[in-house]
Amino acid sequence: MSKKLMILLGLLLIVSLALTACGAPAAEEAAMEEGGEEAAMEEGAAGECCDAYRIALFEEPVSLNYWNYLGPGSSVWTQYVVAGQAPQLFNLSDVRFDFIPELAKAIPEPVDNGDGTYTVTVEMVEGATWSDGEAITADDYVFTFNACKDLKLTQNWPNQCVPNGVEAEVSAAGDYTIEIKFLNQAPSLGNWQAGLALAPILPEHYWAEKVAEAYVFVEGAEAPEMDRPEDCEADDADADACAAYAAYDEMFTNARTTLYEADAAAAPSGGGYTTDKWEAGAFVQRTSNEEFYFKGAEVVEYEDGTWMMILPDGTEYQLYGAAEGEETLRYTQGPYSPNVIFSIYGSQDAAFLALANGEVDYVINPLGLSRGLREQAEKGEGIQTYTNADYGMYYLAFNMNKFPMSNYEFRQAFDIVIDKEFVVNSVLGGVVFPMYSTMPPGNGFWHNTDVEKPYVGMTREERVTMAVDLLKEAGWTWDTDPAWNADTEDVDPGVGILGPDGEEVPELVILGPGPAYDPLRATFNQWISEWGRELGIPVQSELTGFNTILGPVFVDADYDMYILGWSLGNVAFPNYYFDFWHSSQCTADTGNYNTPCLKDDEYDAVVEEFMETGDLARAQELIYQAQEILADRRPYITLFYKQTHDLAHESVVFPYTESLGGIEFQTGMQEDAQVMLSK
């Protein structure tokens, strides 16, 4: 007899339906190319399941340490090789990204304690184990939460224990019962559904000793009683306060470094695979976890919005509908392949050549893909292409802690002279799309179509003239002004540029990946640098390895400008607006992800309300406002977004292929893809 859990959640039902209706990729973007999923399924049926899943990477992971992965080692290449390793209480469903239980038995209602605090009690499933056979319990959640909070972990970690500055206490009320007490905010979309509910869980029995070594550095640490100085480099800075905070911060830096650098080679997994072998420069190997709790679970989705999961023991979960209408998705969870083998090729060209030659089954590609390289790879025998709208952005970022990037008109002048349409259409052949907002248009519910595009269609002469006039009005001067030369139909570059107070503009560098790694960003970098030099700004393009950029940008916060991209994570709730641009997340101050160090009171107020609201319509309004403020303040200048073109051999059978962000966004669907053995 099956057990049935009917789980009702009013607000998130609205979120789910709104995103299903409004956030789906445009038909022309989501449509598969000829010979897509159906062909792959037909060919797959001709073989037997399942071979090793061979995936090509362009770059090394930074670490196999999950603490480091969500900290300073937060490279997308690290994400691919540790994906799914840390289970969660809740998750987001396939295709529609509904809020669903994972290790939780049901979605609980918060309880108002009547004293300004709220308690959420989560009952966990029993029987889930780590790959080494140890039970996954409430203590693991409490342990991970406390380590995150006590050690003030950085980058992605704050959203896992102090989202939007929420103060919470967690405790185990039994082996499989967690009590989460919100102390200074009511549970909201930002701090609960997109925060503590999705926090990763790591195994206490493996990490306890290593975390204890980190705690030694902060034992007895107390924050100085004086206010933290805003700028210890200033002439009038309080030397005593600066010294006190430097010593205090150093304790936590040492603690975090100890944890981030700890050996994770034998760390057990709570997902479908363990990551158990890494030969630098060659490959990373994952091995199937036969203890995976959800192996054999059946996932079903229906036209009316219903999501269902049926576990092998017959336990049935059902959300968001009455299971009416046609089935839109049905598959059985893996893992299927005995191993996932990531081969590291060092460049896009080499990886796609390996696919065409049959060396790998799939190329996991977080970058744009030139039409020529794609067409070349598609000539390989049995290669299929799956096309979807992307959920990411590529951007130019400014270090707003340094002159001249701190100057509003400087950033605006760059925005004026950057001709995105020219680079996209005339140089790159239209393989990507110009981007004007910090929300990709593929996520239609949150994308603000009214964000202004003031410079589209302007000529080169008009752009240069407008930028020069703008800078002059703001007090910038040149020995020789930049000017359009009608005879040469080109720009006579400016000479001897000085800032508004007579400051000399230093030599500047735009960091970015090289052409072997990503020719799209490398191309933008070189054109932007050239246009900056036309204005007389001494700026150079520095093309380097992807991992080489991470230190100056995300650890040291010591850069001028850089060009990178984001895969934006939670489709249902874009909390990255807090993580990337709220003043509390300034990388230079906290080690978190506000790399430009935008500090704007108006923006902070908008995004704080967004993180605290439980009203979906109001949340949408606030994200629209946030997009407009960012388009004006320009901590980033968004450059382009892309369609995802996932190329895989026809022997790989995916559970589905149409979804925002595509197969790459699901890290190649490692657990659920079936790689058929040919007869």
Side-chain angles (χ1 to χ4, degrees):
M1 178 74 84
S2 71
K3 297 167 279 183
K4 190 163 188 173
L5 300 175
M6 287 296 296
I7 308 169
L8 303 175
L9 184 66
L11 176 60
L12 284 169
L13 172 59
I14 298 171
V15 174
S16 167
L17 294 177
L19 286 173
T20 300
C22 304
E28 66 271 20
E29 292 184 336
M32 291 185 299
E33 301 206 350
E34 185 177 357
E37 182 179 16
E38 292 81 3
M41 295 288 284
E42 183 179 342
E43 286 294 324
E48 296 180 357
C49 187
C50 273
D51 203 351
Y53 189 9
R54 304 167 301 162
I55 299 176
L57 299 182
F58 314 153
E59 195 83 23
E60 298 271 7
V62 173
S63 171
L64 301 185
N65 178 325
Y66 205 92
W67 302 97
N68 194 357
Y69 156 57
L70 289 184
S74 187
S75 155
V76 69
W77 307 106
T78 307
Q79 175 191 356
Y80 298 144
V81 302
V82 300
Q85 191 167 299
Q88 303 165 180
L89 295 176
F90 300 90
N91 212 324
L92 300 179
S93 69
D94 302 282
V95 184
R96 291 199 302 259
F97 305 102
D98 300 322
F99 185 77
I100 58 172
E102 185 176 310
L103 290 181
K105 287 183 176 179
I107 299 176
E109 290 291 337
V111 174
D112 185 344
N113 298 320
D115 58 0
T117 68
Y118 295 79
T119 299
V120 177
T121 302
V122 180
E123 297 291 339
M124 294 175 62
V125 299
E126 301 179 25
T129 65
W130 300 102
S131 55
D132 61 4
E134 291 283 337
I136 302 175
T137 70
D139 288 333
D140 292 313
Y141 181 90
V142 174
F143 164 77
T144 309
F145 174 92
N146 286 337
C148 171
K149 185 176 180 181
D150 296 344
L151 298 176
K152 302 182 187 296
L153 299 186
T154 55
Q155 265 94 3
N156 282 302
W157 278 107
N159 196 58
Q160 322 306 325
C161 56
V162 285
N164 193 28
V166 66
E167 289 295 326
E169 297 174 349
V170 303
S171 59
D175 288 344
Y176 300 98
T177 303
I178 300 168
E179 289 189 354
I180 302 171
K181 189 174 185 180
F182 291 81
L183 303 179
N184 65 334
Q185 290 180 22
S188 68
L189 292 172
N191 62 40
W192 171 235
Q193 284 94 340
L196 302 186
L198 301 183
I201 303 173
L202 297 176
E204 181 180 20
H205 68 279
Y206 179 84
W207 285 107
E209 184 176 341
K210 296 172 174 60
V211 169
E213 292 173 5
Y215 270 97
V216 169
F217 288 96
V218 297
E219 187 175 352
E222 295 185 8
E225 295 182 359
M226 63 277 280
D227 292 336
R228 181 185 285 273
E230 288 189 8
D231 183 6
C232 284
E233 300 297 323
D235 293 338
D236 59 350
D238 185 331
D240 290 338
C242 287
Y245 274 99
Y248 177 75
D249 292 343
E250 185 178 10
M251 295 180 188
F252 286 93
T253 298
N254 291 336
R256 290 191 292 263
T257 300
T258 297
L259 182 56
Y260 293 152
E261 294 181 354
D263 182 17
S269 169
Y273 287 93
T274 61
T275 308
D276 50 16
K277 190 177 294 185
W278 176 15
E279 293 288 340
F283 71 93
V284 180
Q285 176 179 289
R286 308 192 81 191
T287 300
S288 64
N289 171 20
E290 296 306 313
E291 302 292 331
F292 182 45
Y293 180 74
F294 294 101
K295 183 174 183 178
E298 196 165 15
V299 176
V300 191
E301 294 180 1
Y302 290 83
E303 272 185 332
D304 71 344
T306 301
W307 171 87
M308 293 180 64
M309 175 180 280
I310 305 159
L311 297 178
D313 67 359
T315 302
E316 187 174 315
Y317 298 84
Q318 183 171 327
L319 288 130
Y320 307 127
E324 295 176 346
E326 296 292 325
E327 290 183 4
T328 58
L329 177 69
R330 179 182 286 269
Y331 73 93
T332 303
Q333 286 195 267
Y336 290 98
S337 293
N339 297 103
V340 177
I341 309 294
F342 295 96
S343 296
I344 301 164
Y345 285 92
S347 73
Q348 260 194 338
D349 289 358
F352 280 100
L353 179 61
L355 176 67
N357 291 340
E359 297 173 19
V360 296
D361 305 305
Y362 171 63
V363 177
I364 193 162
N365 177 31
L367 316 180
L369 183 60
S370 71
R371 183 174 287 111
L373 181 55
R374 175 180 152 202
E375 291 174 351
Q376 182 182 11
E378 288 173 332
K379 292 177 182 177
E381 184 178 352
I383 302 303
Q384 303 290 337
T385 301
Y386 309 97
T387 302
N388 287 278
D390 187 39
Y391 189 49
M393 65 174 165
Y394 296 82
Y395 62 94
L396 169 71
F398 299 93
N399 187 342
M400 296 171 67
N401 277 335
K402 296 172 69 173
F403 174 80
M405 286 68 64
S406 57
N407 181 273
Y408 174 86
E409 288 78 17
F410 176 88
R411 302 192 302 277
Q412 186 178 4
F414 260 83
D415 197 7
I416 293 169
V417 298
I418 296 173
D419 191 342
K420 305 173 192 178
E421 296 74 31
F422 168 76
V423 177
V424 165
N425 296 320
S426 299
V427 181
L428 299 177
V431 297
V432 293
F433 308 94
M435 189 169 185
Y436 307 99
S437 168
T438 48
M439 173 59 67
N443 195 344
F445 181 78
W446 297 108
H447 175 69
N448 183 354
T449 58
D450 293 330
V451 171
E452 293 186 358
K453 307 167 186 153
Y455 316 123
V456 174
M458 291 176 61
T459 66
R460 184 100 230 103
E461 179 182 1
E462 290 169 337
R463 289 176 182 274
V464 172
T465 301
M466 177 183 281
V468 171
D469 290 346
L470 170 80
L471 291 172
K472 281 184 174 181
E473 289 175 10
W476 292 71
T477 61
W478 292 262
D479 293 338
T480 302
D481 292 356
W484 179 258
N485 187 322
D487 294 332
T488 63
E489 295 188 344
D490 204 349
V491 179
D492 291 334
V495 177
I497 189 170
L498 296 176
D501 297 323
E503 306 104 312
E504 184 177 349
V505 178
E507 295 285 338
L508 303 175
V509 169
I510 304 179
L511 294 170
Y517 178 82
D518 184 4
L520 304 178
R521 280 178 281 184
T523 299
F524 259 100
N525 198 331
Q526 291 173 320
W527 278 99
I528 291 170
S529 300
E530 175 62 25
W531 289 327
R533 289 192 293 272
E534 289 180 350
L535 294 178
I537 297 167
V539 58
Q540 299 295 326
S541 170
E542 184 174 313
L543 305 179
T544 184
F546 175 79
N547 287 341
T548 305
I549 301 170
L550 299 182
V553 171
F554 296 105
V555 179
D556 302 328
D558 185 13
Y559 69 93
D560 301 321
M561 293 170 271
Y562 72 87
I563 294 177
L564 283 177
W566 287 114
S567 180
L568 293 171
N570 190 338
V571 173
F573 191 80
N575 50 309
Y576 68 85
Y577 278 88
F578 181 87
D579 297 334
F580 291 174
W581 300 294
H582 189 275
S583 60
S584 68
Q585 304 301 299
C586 169
T587 305
D589 297 340
T590 65
N592 296 330
Y593 278 132
N594 179 359
T595 56
C597 202
L598 175 68
K599 294 184 177 180
D600 186 276
D601 291 342
E602 181 185 4
Y603 181 81
D604 282 357
V606 167
V607 78
E608 285 166 11
E609 184 182 349
F610 166 71
M611 292 293 287
E612 293 171 8
T613 188
D615 182 333
L616 180 65
R618 179 58 178 158
Q620 184 187 51
E621 291 174 2
L622 291 164
I623 285 302
Y624 280 14
Q625 290 179 37
Q627 290 171 65
E628 292 167 358
I629 295 170
L630 292 171
D632 174 66
R633 306 303 195 268
R634 299 175 178 87
Y636 287 5
I637 294 174
T638 54
L639 300 175
F640 64 92
Y641 69 96
K642 60 184 178 67
Q643 286 181 322
T644 63
H645 297 290
D646 287 295
L647 273 64
H649 191 269
E650 62 189 4
S651 61
V652 183
V653 180
F654 297 107
Y656 55 91
T657 59
E658 294 186 30
S659 181
L660 182 61
I663 297 165
E664 178 273 326
F665 192 61
Q666 306 297 335
T667 65
M669 300 185 182
Q670 296 171 47
E671 286 179 359
D672 301 317
Q674 300 181 45
V675 183
M676 298 300 178
L677 293 157
S678 58
K679 289 186 177 180

